[in-house]
Amino acid sequence: MYTAKGTLNREDQLRKYSPLVRRLAHHMIAKLPPSVELDDLIQVGMIGLTEAIARYEPSQGVQFETFASQRIRGAMIDELRDGDWMSRGSRKSQKDIEQAVHRLQQKLHRPPRESEIAAEMGLTLTDYQALLAKVRGTQLVYLEDIGGGAGDDEDGFLDRHMGDHEADPSAMLMDHRMRMALVEAIKTLPEREQHIMSMYYEHDMNLKEIAAVLGVTESRVCQLHSQSIARLRSKMREH
C-alpha cells in the first residue's frame, strides 16, 4: 500500500480504486444529458484519483476512499462546468419550475400537484411534462451553485450549507446541516416522489430500475425526478 517514503503506492491505488471511479461516473451520467460521454467522465475521474493519491495524508483523519471520492467527483464536476454541459435555456426552465413550485407552496401550504404547477406556468399538463423531460440532467445542486454563479444575485446554494469545500473536502461530505435539511425536505414530497428519491439517492438505482419497480416508463420517472428536484430546491432555499 505504501512506498518506502511512506506515501501511497500509486499503481496499487489506481488499480484498487479504478472501480470506484467507474461507479461514481455511472451514477453521475444518469443525471446528465446524452451529450456527456461516460468515458470522458471516467478519464477525468482517474485524473482526480491520481491527484487524491498524491495529496492524501493519513494524519488528516479521513479515510482514503472518502477523500478520493470527493476529489474524483470534483474533477468530474470541473470538466462538466468547463464543457457547459447544461444549456442556459435548460437551467432557466428548471429555475422557472422551481419558482412556480415555491409560489404555489406559499399559497397552498402543501405540495402543489403537477396540474397546478403547469397552470401556474401557463402551460398545458402535456407541455409541462415535456418541459420536465427536457431539463433531464438537472441536479439537486446546480454546478454553478458550488461557487455561486457569476451574475447570480443569490448566494451560492452550497456556500450557505457547506462552507468552503476547497479548503476542506471532507467537510462537504460530512456537513450535518445540509444532510438534515435534505432529509426534512424529502419528507415534504408527495409519497411517490419520496420513493423515487429514496431509490435514486439512497439505493443508487438508475431511472430504468426505478421505472421497473413503479411499473411506469423511464421517461415518466425522469419527469417526476425533475419535479422532485424543483420541489427540494425550493424547500431548501428556505433554510
Side-chain angles (χ1 to χ4, degrees):
M1 286 277 287
Y2 289 88
T3 65
K5 295 182 179 180
T7 57
L8 289 171
N9 185 297
R10 180 175 175 273
E11 294 305 319
D12 284 351
Q13 294 299 93
L14 284 174
R15 204 161 34 242
K16 180 178 180 180
Y17 288 101
S18 60
L20 172 65
V21 174
R22 293 190 66 84
R23 188 166 70 247
L24 292 173
H26 275 281
H27 191 239
M28 189 172 286
I29 201 77
K31 310 172 190 177
L32 300 172
S35 57
V36 180
E37 295 288 339
L38 177 64
D39 287 346
D40 291 342
L41 282 185
I42 292 173
Q43 184 176 357
V44 296
M46 290 300 294
I47 293 171
L49 175 58
T50 302
E51 292 176 351
I53 294 168
R55 298 185 183 190
Y56 178 68
E57 295 181 10
S59 60
Q60 293 176 335
V62 179
Q63 290 185 346
F64 176 74
E65 184 167 340
T66 301
F67 180 80
S69 294
Q70 182 58 31
R71 288 286 174 180
I72 293 164
R73 285 194 190 96
M76 292 177 181
I77 288 171
D78 286 343
E79 177 70 11
L80 292 167
R81 184 192 291 118
D82 290 344
D84 193 21
W85 65 278
M86 185 178 177
S87 71
R88 289 180 183 273
S90 292
R91 281 196 293 264
K92 182 181 183 303
S93 294
Q94 180 67 12
K95 289 195 174 185
D96 287 345
I97 295 169
E98 179 188 331
Q99 289 165 2
V101 169
H102 182 72
R103 290 193 300 270
L104 287 169
Q105 184 77 41
Q106 297 298 309
K107 186 190 306 182
L108 302 172
H109 305 291
R110 61 167 173 78
R113 292 188 291 270
E114 209 168 0
S115 58
E116 292 170 333
I117 301 171
E120 177 70 16
M121 297 182 70
L123 300 173
T124 65
L125 182 57
T126 300
D127 286 344
Y128 172 62
Q129 290 175 341
L131 185 63
L132 287 173
K134 177 186 173 184
V135 299
R136 174 177 179 166
T138 54
Q139 304 179 91
L140 179 59
V141 179
Y142 298 145
L143 297 181
E144 63 266 31
D145 284 335
I146 291 174
D152 190 345
D153 57 3
E154 296 180 357
D155 292 337
F157 186 67
L158 283 185
D159 289 341
R160 296 205 306 275
H161 290 286
M162 293 188 174
D164 186 359
H165 72 281
E166 290 294 336
D168 185 7
S170 63
M172 183 176 175
L173 287 175
M174 303 303 292
D175 189 274
H176 183 68
R177 287 177 301 148
M178 176 64 175
R179 286 186 291 129
M180 290 305 296
L182 180 56
V183 168
E184 290 305 311
I186 288 175
K187 289 179 181 177
T188 69
L189 293 175
E191 187 175 356
R192 194 182 205 190
E193 292 179 31
Q194 285 188 45
H195 289 159
I196 289 174
M197 300 302 281
S198 174
M199 285 186 278
Y200 192 78
Y201 289 102
E202 293 179 34
H203 300 288
D204 208 19
M205 295 169 65
N206 60 38
L207 300 183
K208 185 175 182 179
E209 292 168 334
I210 296 171
V213 170
L214 296 180
V216 298
T217 64
E218 185 176 346
S219 62
R220 181 57 178 153
V221 174
C222 173
Q223 292 169 2
L224 291 172
H225 177 262
S226 295
Q227 185 169 265
S228 299
I229 294 297
R231 292 188 198 274
L232 289 174
R233 285 183 57 86
S234 173
K235 190 70 177 175
M236 293 185 70
R237 284 191 182 280
E238 298 173 6
H239 287 263

